[in-house]
Amino acid sequence: MSQSAEIHYSVCPHDCPSACALEVERLDSRTIGRVRGSHLNSYTDGVICEKVARYAERIHHPDRLLYPLKRKGGKGSGEFERISWKQALDETAQALLQAEADHGSESVWPYYYAGTMGHIMRDGINRLRHVKKYSGQHSTVCVTLAFAGFTAGTGRLAGPDPREMAKSDVVVIWGTNPVNTQVNVMTHAIKARKQNGAKIVVIDVYNNGTMEQADLGLCLNPGSDGALACAVMHILFRDGYANWDYLVKYTDYPNEFEFHLKNKTPEWAAELTGLSVEEIEAFAKLIGTHPRSYLRLGYGFTRSRNGAVNMHAATSIATVMGSWEHPGGGAFHNNGEIYNWDKTLIEGLDARDPKIRVLDQARIGPVLTHDPVDLQGGPPVKAMFIQNTNPLSIAPEQDKVKAGFAREDLFVCVHEQFMTETALMADIVLPATMFLEHDDHYQGGGHQYILQGPEIIKPPGECRSNHEVICDLANRVGATHPGFNMSAREITEHTLIASGWPGLETLDREHWLDCQPDFATAHYLEGFAHPDGKYRFKPDWTRNAWLKTDAMGPFEDMPEFPDYWAVTEAADENHPFRLVTSPARGFLNSSFNETPTSQKREGPPALMINSQDAESLGLANGENILIGNERGQVRLKLKFFNGVNHGVVIAEGLHPNHAYVDGKGINTLTSADVCAPHGGAAYHDTHIWIRRFDGVKDLT
């Protein structure tokens, strides 16, 4: 640490459940030094990912947007001219007002996501949306499949204290690669190994950095998690490990469920998962002989058309064992429901009109290309205001997304930190602050803290915060609400008190609030969060109190009990490989694409493939290839990797589109199909073909 540096406390704002508590060196009013995880926070425990540890590289990057810009060339040309904030906001407001006048308020679509997880800066856009009655957004690119699956059984998005992993005898890390994405999960899992001799089990679709640290690694076929879970529970019942006293007291149909599992044998699951019978038996015995097992369930294995069913099945293992009764036992996915937020002021919920249509975020391509089903009989989208997200990189069915943004009749304003692919297609680009340059508050999904993120340094150039811009736009478009006349700190103070928490005086002093419920509540020992207090082996997939949306997708076909639901995009004669687009260590969605260290670590886009599969195609390691399906084609390099099953290929990291030949990123191939029961994007559920790239532009 520099002797002249001041230490300030903050929180990582990025789209990660860890929401790490940070200690930041402040060198002067505009400059930071090193960033560390805070040892004072019992979940972060001094450990953060390498991306955030070198945040100075990002916040002081020479390519940051510093001034408002107006497009002067064709859409996507990259030709912009500097303008004043007044002109930028005036022209944006005029475009929104004109769209409303010509086509109605629903022709305006504010669009955002998790570029920041701060409640004020992320969610304040909804206050403008609700007051003006602009089209709503069903946020489906990340959490809906996972949340629906977990809460189908428990009734509540909450679980055992994540710090209890350190008390476990077995830690099961399922469908997440925390070495790349949630490093603190590994912190507490390793504690369990050191303190208790705990075994770490990792379940994923390839031998990644997390699986390399496992005592037992299970590499299974994409979308087959439900089959593995059912076979494990079959064995638990078969071999007398099921906790019948617990099942009778806490679950809905234990006898019917045991009967349902009779034919879900290890042999049946081995055919579907690609695992051996011996691997399945060994995993089940390890769980069965250690009731103090903690299932840490991630998002990755739910990014499939059957993801909600798979999550419910995996969660049910802890219930069959009665693991919830034990410290260090149970199943955990996210703690989102422990905070009891009243976000009326932040989001303008008192102005929300339920009759206004809600458009599916993941289907932005079909929406912008005028799919009548997606538009729900309403007007086309004529104007967009975009914060915190980069749909031209992260949204599925990229060719449709690009076609939508290329429309000359679509006005787009993007408020961003860098000139992303989406900003390049905008009419107006506004420079945004980063998290150390404004005030906000945060919550942990992967833990139990509310955290304070104060302004530590002044922003560069003319960057303005999301809150400032939303309030300025509201004034110009005639939107009236108390939240538009309050500072970010004032809104935080109001929201904390309204939600039953101590106010800013405490948060300023303590830096974070530990909101962990008591043991009995967290472990559902007073009953699960359904009216009868029972865990649902047989859920009602049409209802979900957390997601508050109608059922959608093929929900009528969902299995009654946990099962393998064969609804994934299967490999076929024309598309013999299953593609999974897994997160890289150096990127976080499209964030950190711009930092040199991340670019150096990840290298160019590559497709990881079993060498035998590649050789059967006559392809060599490092060769340029073309991959594709009915949605498009992508060019990249081939990389031999034998830590993956035959017929499965991995594309790690959301590289920027310009890193690919022709500027077509990996999400050209992923589908925007609506997934049951409440929507969600099937990013890891894609079939493809693979061919040698011989220089021909289009081989189809």
Side-chain angles (χ1 to χ4, degrees):
M1 182 185 76
S2 169
Q3 291 186 350
S4 61
E6 303 170 354
I7 300 300
H8 291 255
Y9 293 91
S10 188
V11 51
C12 176
H14 286 282
D15 187 10
C16 167
S18 289
C20 292
L22 305 178
E23 296 176 5
V24 181
E25 291 184 358
R26 181 181 184 270
L27 304 183
D28 59 46
S29 64
R30 294 186 179 273
T31 313
I32 66 165
R34 294 190 61 184
V35 178
R36 302 176 180 85
S38 177
H39 286 282
L40 301 178
N41 182 281
S42 62
Y43 184 76
T44 299
D45 201 21
V47 179
I48 58 171
C49 69
E50 62 181 54
K51 300 182 287 292
V52 176
R54 49 180 167 77
Y55 212 86
E57 182 181 26
R58 187 169 195 271
I59 202 167
H60 301 309
H61 197 291
D63 292 340
R64 275 192 69 176
L65 292 170
L66 299 177
Y67 309 101
L69 302 171
K70 179 178 179 179
R71 177 171 62 87
K72 65 177 182 179
K75 286 205 171 189
S77 66
E79 297 179 41
F80 292 90
E81 60 183 355
R82 180 177 170 181
I83 59 175
S84 68
W85 267 102
K86 182 179 185 305
Q87 181 182 350
L89 291 170
D90 285 348
E91 292 194 15
T92 298
Q94 181 55 40
L96 303 187
L97 289 167
Q98 192 65 54
E100 181 180 2
D102 292 345
H103 303 279
S105 65
E106 290 181 322
S107 67
V108 179
W109 193 18
Y111 193 90
Y112 77 109
Y113 203 52
T116 176
M117 298 296 280
H119 286 190
I120 310 295
M121 302 302 163
R122 182 189 65 195
D123 301 330
I125 193 172
N126 289 323
R127 190 183 330 119
L128 180 64
R129 180 197 314 279
H130 295 324
V131 171
K132 288 295 294 180
K133 303 191 186 311
Y134 295 150
S135 281
Q137 174 182 294
H138 182 31
S139 296
T140 52
V141 299
C142 184
V143 303
T144 48
L145 284 159
F147 286 5
F150 188 86
T151 58
T154 62
R156 187 168 187 251
L157 188 64
D161 188 334
R163 296 166 294 194
E164 284 185 25
M165 274 186 283
K167 301 177 181 179
S168 302
D169 296 324
V170 175
V171 177
V172 181
I173 300 172
W174 195 329
T176 180
N177 181 11
V179 165
N180 282 12
T181 61
Q182 294 184 63
V183 65
N184 308 95
V185 171
M186 296 308 299
T187 298
H188 296 282
I190 296 298
K191 282 184 182 179
R193 174 185 279 164
K194 290 180 177 178
Q195 296 172 7
N196 310 329
K199 301 298 182 183
I200 298 175
V201 180
V202 175
I203 305 170
D204 215 311
V205 295
Y206 71 121
N207 186 16
N208 51 43
T210 303
M211 193 174 290
E212 289 174 357
Q213 299 191 36
D215 298 290
L216 176 62
L218 301 176
C219 186
L220 71 171
N221 294 326
S224 66
D225 308 79
L228 173 60
C230 286
V232 167
M233 291 185 286
H234 166 95
I235 295 167
L236 295 178
F237 279 110
R238 183 197 71 190
D239 293 353
Y241 295 124
N243 185 336
W244 274 103
D245 289 340
Y246 182 88
L247 288 165
V248 169
K249 182 177 180 180
Y250 286 105
T251 71
D252 57 351
Y253 295 103
N255 293 295
E256 287 185 38
F257 185 42
E258 181 189 23
F259 181 78
H260 167 76
L261 293 171
K262 288 291 186 183
N263 64 349
K264 311 300 180 186
T265 64
E267 291 76 13
W268 165 82
E271 289 290 322
L272 295 166
T273 61
L275 299 171
S276 68
V277 170
E278 291 75 20
E279 287 175 308
I280 297 170
E281 291 276 4
F283 175 42
K285 183 176 181 180
L286 183 63
I287 291 286
T289 54
H290 295 90
R292 196 186 303 271
S293 293
Y294 194 106
L295 278 71
R296 184 61 175 82
L297 305 173
Y299 291 88
F301 77 112
T302 71
R303 301 201 198 284
S304 176
R305 288 165 178 80
N306 60 3
V309 171
N310 291 341
M311 172 64 84
H312 178 235
T315 308
S316 296
I317 294 174
T319 308
V320 171
M321 282 297 300
S323 296
W324 303 95
E325 293 184 308
H326 303 281
F332 181 86
H333 172 61
N334 186 292
N335 248 344
E337 210 162 348
I338 69 171
Y339 301 103
N340 305 310
W341 288 116
D342 180 344
K343 297 174 76 174
T344 301
L345 184 62
I346 295 175
E347 298 196 40
L349 298 177
D350 49 348
R352 180 179 178 272
D353 184 347
K355 296 189 295 294
I356 296 297
R357 71 178 177 185
V358 178
L359 303 177
D360 189 334
Q361 174 194 34
R363 291 187 60 77
I364 184 173
V367 167
L368 294 185
T369 53
H370 307 311
D371 186 300
V373 174
D374 287 283
L375 292 176
Q376 303 168 30
V381 172
K382 288 289 188 175
M384 296 186 72
F385 179 72
I386 300 176
Q387 285 184 324
N388 303 152
T389 192
N390 183 15
L392 274 155
S393 174
I394 67 97
E397 296 187 9
Q398 282 286 296
D399 283 352
K400 287 184 180 178
V401 179
K402 291 176 180 177
F405 274 91
R407 284 171 38 205
E408 290 296 334
D409 67 330
L410 175 68
F411 172 84
V412 177
C413 175
V414 172
H415 188 198
E416 255 299 355
Q417 298 163 351
F418 292 94
M419 187 61 78
T420 63
E421 292 91 342
T422 305
L424 280 169
M425 294 298 290
D427 299 283
I428 299 290
V429 178
L430 306 175
T433 51
M434 291 189 184
F435 76 107
L436 297 175
E437 300 161 354
H438 57 240
D439 295 311
D440 211 338
H441 67 268
Y442 304 78
Q443 72 179 56
H447 55 75
Q448 61 292 309
Y449 284 105
I450 294 170
L451 307 100
Q452 170 77 321
E455 179 184 309
I456 293 175
I457 59 172
K458 297 298 180 184
E462 296 179 6
C463 294
R464 293 187 185 179
S465 74
N466 291 3
H467 178 62
E468 292 176 279
V469 172
I470 288 295
C471 293
D472 285 342
L473 269 182
N475 181 58
R476 285 169 166 80
V477 298
T480 303
H481 191 276
F484 295 132
N485 301 311
M486 299 170 68
S487 70
R489 280 181 59 84
E490 288 171 334
I491 294 177
T492 290
E493 171 76 2
H494 175 97
T495 301
L496 287 168
I497 300 301
S499 305
W501 300 112
L504 268 175
E505 181 181 354
T506 300
L507 196 56
D508 286 342
R509 182 179 65 250
E510 303 294 335
H511 313 302
W512 45 75
L513 304 172
D514 189 337
C515 305
Q516 180 61 40
D518 63 83
F519 181 85
T521 301
H523 287 253
Y524 299 101
L525 298 187
E526 296 169 352
F528 287 90
H530 294 291
D532 60 0
K534 304 286 190 180
Y535 181 91
R536 295 283 190 266
F537 287 131
K538 191 176 183 179
D540 180 355
W541 289 110
T542 66
R543 299 177 183 273
N544 191 292
W546 173 257
L547 294 169
K548 299 182 176 65
T549 59
D550 294 333
M552 58 186 68
F555 64 90
E556 301 95 340
D557 301 327
M558 297 179 76
E560 276 192 327
F561 285 107
D563 210 331
Y564 170 69
W565 188 27
V567 72
T568 55
E569 186 167 88
D572 56 34
E573 184 177 354
N574 295 322
H575 309 88
F577 292 92
R578 298 285 308 286
L579 168 68
V580 177
T581 55
S582 300
R585 190 167 185 175
F587 300 148
L588 202 168
N589 302 322
S590 68
S591 296
F592 298 94
N593 282 169
E594 67 286 328
T595 56
T597 307
S598 288
Q599 292 170 349
K600 182 178 180 181
R601 165 179 271 283
E602 300 307 329
L607 187 76
M608 301 160 67
I609 186 172
N610 188 290
S611 60
Q612 294 180 9
D613 282 342
E615 289 163 0
S616 72
L617 298 172
L619 299 173
N621 191 32
E623 188 168 357
N624 294 321
I625 57 167
L626 189 68
I627 65 176
N629 57 25
E630 61 271 29
R631 292 177 284 273
Q633 303 176 8
V634 173
R635 302 181 193 182
L636 68 175
K637 287 191 175 293
L638 198 68
K639 179 180 179 180
F640 283 12
F641 176 76
N642 288 332
V644 66
N645 291 351
H646 291 293
V648 179
V649 291
I650 308 291
E652 267 196 344
L654 194 54
H655 295 260
N657 292 340
H658 63 73
Y660 297 82
V661 179
D662 292 344
K664 291 193 172 186
I666 199 67
N667 280 318
T668 301
L669 307 177
T670 55
S671 169
D673 285 357
V674 177
C675 298
H678 297 282
Y683 285 114
H684 298 348
D685 186 3
T686 304
H687 64 199
I688 62 166
W689 46 255
I690 304 174
R691 301 172 186 167
R692 174 177 287 108
F693 171 56
D694 60 5
V696 177
K697 186 173 180 61
D698 188 349
L699 300 181
T700 59

